[in-house]
Amino acid sequence: MPHRLMLLDTASLYFRAFYGVPDTIRRADGTPVNAVRGLLDMIARLTADFEATHLIACWDDDWRPQWRVDLIPSYKSHRVAEAVAGGPDIEVVPDALEAQIPMIRKVLELAGIAVVGAAEHEADDVVGTYASNAGLPVDVVTGDRDLFQVVDDDRNVRVIYTARGMKNLEVVTDAVIVGKYRVLPEQYADYAILRGDSSDGLPGVAGIGEKTAASLLGEYGTLDLLLEAATGAESGLSASVRAKLAAATDYLKVAPAVVNVVRDLGLPTLDEAGARLHPVVGDPRADLERLATEWNLGGSVKRLLDALDQRH
């Protein structure tokens, strides 16, 4: 089987699992296990359908890094449950999901699935670094459009987009992004900066929506070249657009550092992380099978084990 790396935007998936599987599914002490079950079923299906040989569950060690907040204070501010001085703020997470995250970590560990995060960085940055430097075909699994910026046909990097559910997965390539947004993947971050994104607390440039952002990038190529044109007398850029960009000068200076994923983190290599998928044997398999019963994980553990049994 040709090598193929799958990168999971893990929080995106376990949130989707939590809301997609009834939380009436509980273990004996009453703790819901719907997110655990749902995530395991996702991994089993995804790795089989897309023939992954390597897998990394990319983790939010810091879901809202302070250095991004310092640049744009509104960044993800609507999702803060509690501000923490000197540490990562606490995200709004339903209690019933919060209780399952340690179980998710435990099951992934026993299954031999690599979990990688980076201090002061989001899972998106872990994805960005591996996708940009893996040296083998990559599938990024996420429900977040932010990661469309890593799509690259030339390097065989795709996004498996989950926003419409696991039954309606969309394989996002260069052509999909061009067809849907009229920009290239490498322009997607600049496009998001211009049009804004309320889900991440990015204000965008007032008066510039999706169509105008795409049109401007189609003409000027990059945000830097657009801003250069905005200050050049001979550029032909309309006075109206010049005024809108000028009014957003402070935002446009800092937004690229917030919106562009980091691609050069010092992460473990695939070998060091233990990314190669393999059958689960011995004590870890026995422990997983025991937890499947104790935690009422139904057939989810068996489906994951069966999928991993095919990886050797």
Side-chain angles (χ1 to χ4, degrees):
M1 180 184 295
H3 286 184
R4 178 172 285 277
L5 171 63
M6 179 168 282
L7 301 170
L8 305 180
D9 179 7
T10 314
S12 168
L13 298 185
Y14 64 60
F15 266 94
R16 175 162 294 279
F18 176 75
Y19 288 109
V21 179
D23 67 1
T24 51
I25 301 171
R26 297 170 179 258
R27 66 185 193 188
D29 67 359
T31 305
V33 292
N34 56 326
V36 186
R37 279 195 184 197
L39 180 64
L40 298 186
D41 281 335
M42 287 179 183
I43 294 173
R45 179 186 161 187
L46 288 161
T47 53
D49 287 359
F50 294 97
E51 299 184 331
T53 57
H54 296 69
L55 177 69
I56 294 178
C58 301
W59 205 264
D60 279 321
D61 277 13
D62 190 340
W63 69 279
R64 186 175 183 251
Q66 187 60 46
W67 57 270
R68 282 189 164 111
V69 177
D70 289 343
L71 294 171
I72 299 181
S74 62
Y75 182 63
K76 295 186 178 180
S77 60
H78 60 295
R79 287 158 52 185
V80 176
E82 180 184 344
V84 178
D89 291 335
I90 297 172
E91 185 178 13
V92 175
V93 178
D95 291 345
L97 173 56
E98 187 74 39
Q100 297 182 65
I101 294 174
M103 288 189 275
I104 289 169
R105 289 292 297 248
K106 180 65 175 177
V107 172
L108 294 178
E109 174 192 344
L110 288 172
I113 293 171
V115 176
V116 179
E120 300 180 355
H121 286 83
E122 302 171 51
D124 284 11
D125 300 315
V126 177
V127 170
T129 296
Y130 279 121
S132 302
N133 301 287
L136 66 159
V138 177
D139 287 326
V140 175
V141 185
T142 184
D144 189 344
R145 292 185 300 174
D146 292 352
L147 285 168
F148 287 178
Q149 64 186 277
V150 304
V151 169
D152 188 334
D153 283 4
D154 289 343
R155 291 190 301 104
N156 209 345
V157 178
R158 313 180 296 187
V159 163
I160 311 302
Y161 190 46
T162 64
R164 294 185 298 173
M166 290 298 291
K167 292 181 180 178
N168 296 289
L169 295 174
E170 183 177 15
V171 177
V172 178
T173 60
D174 287 15
V176 171
I177 293 174
V178 171
K180 192 172 289 188
Y181 303 105
R182 297 192 299 127
V183 296
L184 297 166
E186 57 265 32
Q187 296 174 308
Y188 190 84
D190 286 350
Y191 169 76
I193 289 166
L194 287 168
R195 66 129 210 257
D197 189 340
S198 59
S199 68
D200 279 340
L202 297 173
V205 176
I208 293 183
E210 294 188 354
K211 289 184 179 179
T212 303
S215 176
L216 290 170
L217 290 170
E219 184 170 355
Y220 294 97
T222 67
L223 179 61
D224 285 344
L225 290 173
L226 171 62
L227 296 178
E228 189 178 306
T231 59
E234 307 300 322
S235 70
L237 197 61
S238 73
S240 171
V241 171
R242 287 175 192 265
K244 290 168 183 174
L245 294 173
T249 296
D250 291 344
Y251 162 73
L252 291 171
K253 284 179 180 175
V254 298
V258 176
V259 176
N260 282 282
V261 297
V262 178
R263 296 174 185 255
D264 59 357
L265 291 174
L267 299 177
T269 65
L270 298 184
D271 285 345
E272 290 167 347
R276 183 68 187 260
L277 292 173
H278 54 81
V280 182
V281 298
D283 290 343
R285 190 179 190 102
D287 288 345
L288 268 177
E289 290 171 340
R290 175 178 54 79
L291 289 181
T293 300
E294 289 182 5
W295 290 357
N296 188 29
L297 299 181
S300 299
V301 165
K302 182 180 187 305
R303 286 187 284 274
L304 178 64
L305 289 172
D306 287 347
L308 294 175
D309 284 344
Q310 306 306 313
R311 302 290 178 263
H312 47 71

